[in-house]
């Protein structure tokens, strides 16, 4: 919900809507954060309390170790939670799973539009 562009601030979004991602999953957030070098823990059965939809897609909490025991940040380029959220929202659309889904849906839409145009011409 923190990174979802379908949510309002009242529903739990924590970053600007123009930087947010459409329906990010906990596994996508985990992949992005683990690739940078964070210690990541995903709790699959946890849910965001304000989330009314109980689907498996919306389940999962991602826990990241931001600071070491002495209080210094684990990674200096990410000193705050918000910096991690913005980075995750920026890189999730670049994931292979996201780019493959987008490519497949665009092709199927184009094929459907082409068929509709052809049918219209035959009727005239």
């Amino acid at each position: 919900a923190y990174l979802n562009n379908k949510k309002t601030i009242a529903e739990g979004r924590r970053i600007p809507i123009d930087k947010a991602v459409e329906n990010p999953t906990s596994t996508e957030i985990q992949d992005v954060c683990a690739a940078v070098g964070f210690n990541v823990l995903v709790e699959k059965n946890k849910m965001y309390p304000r989330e009314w939809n109980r689907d498996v897609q919306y389940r999962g909490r991602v826990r990241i170790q931001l600071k070491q025991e002495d209080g210094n940040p684990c990674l200096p380029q990410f000193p705050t939670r918000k910096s991690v959220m913005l980075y995750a929202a920026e890189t999730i659309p670049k994931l292979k799973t996201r780019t493959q889904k987008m490519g497949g849906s665009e092709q199927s839409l184009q094929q459907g539009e082409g068929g509709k145009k052809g049918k219209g011409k035959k009727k005239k």
Side-chain angles (χ1 to χ4, degrees):
Y2 290 4
L3 309 177
N4 194 345
N5 67 5
K6 301 284 186 199
K7 301 280 182 191
T8 64
I9 289 177
E11 291 172 329
R13 182 172 43 82
R14 298 256 177 124
I15 60 174
I17 199 160
D18 59 325
K19 295 182 181 180
V21 185
E22 185 176 336
N23 298 327
T25 63
S26 57
T27 51
E28 289 174 335
I29 297 168
Q30 175 195 12
D31 293 343
V32 167
C33 293
V36 174
F38 277 115
N39 291 334
V40 183
L41 174 69
V42 176
E43 298 169 343
K44 290 284 184 191
N45 291 326
K46 295 289 183 179
M47 282 201 62
Y48 189 62
R50 289 189 227 167
E51 180 61 55
W52 57 269
N53 194 338
R54 300 287 179 210
D55 289 345
V56 176
Q57 174 189 356
Y58 296 103
R59 289 182 185 229
R61 174 170 62 183
V62 180
R63 299 189 72 178
I64 298 170
Q65 182 181 357
L66 269 183
K67 296 185 178 180
Q68 298 167 349
E69 289 182 19
D70 61 356
N72 293 329
C74 290
L75 297 175
Q77 67 265 35
F78 301 110
T80 63
R81 291 179 190 179
K82 193 158 191 168
S83 64
V84 174
M85 286 187 243
L86 290 171
Y87 173 77
E90 183 181 301
T91 51
I92 284 174
K94 298 174 188 171
L95 288 173
K96 284 184 180 180
T97 55
R98 287 278 175 136
T99 53
Q100 288 171 354
K101 286 179 185 176
M102 294 296 185
S105 63
E106 286 174 9
Q107 289 172 353
S108 63
L109 287 174
Q110 288 171 353
Q111 290 172 355
E113 289 172 7
K116 290 176 186 174
K117 288 179 185 173
K119 289 179 184 177
K121 289 179 182 176
K122 289 177 185 175
K123 288 181 182 178
K124 289 180 183 177

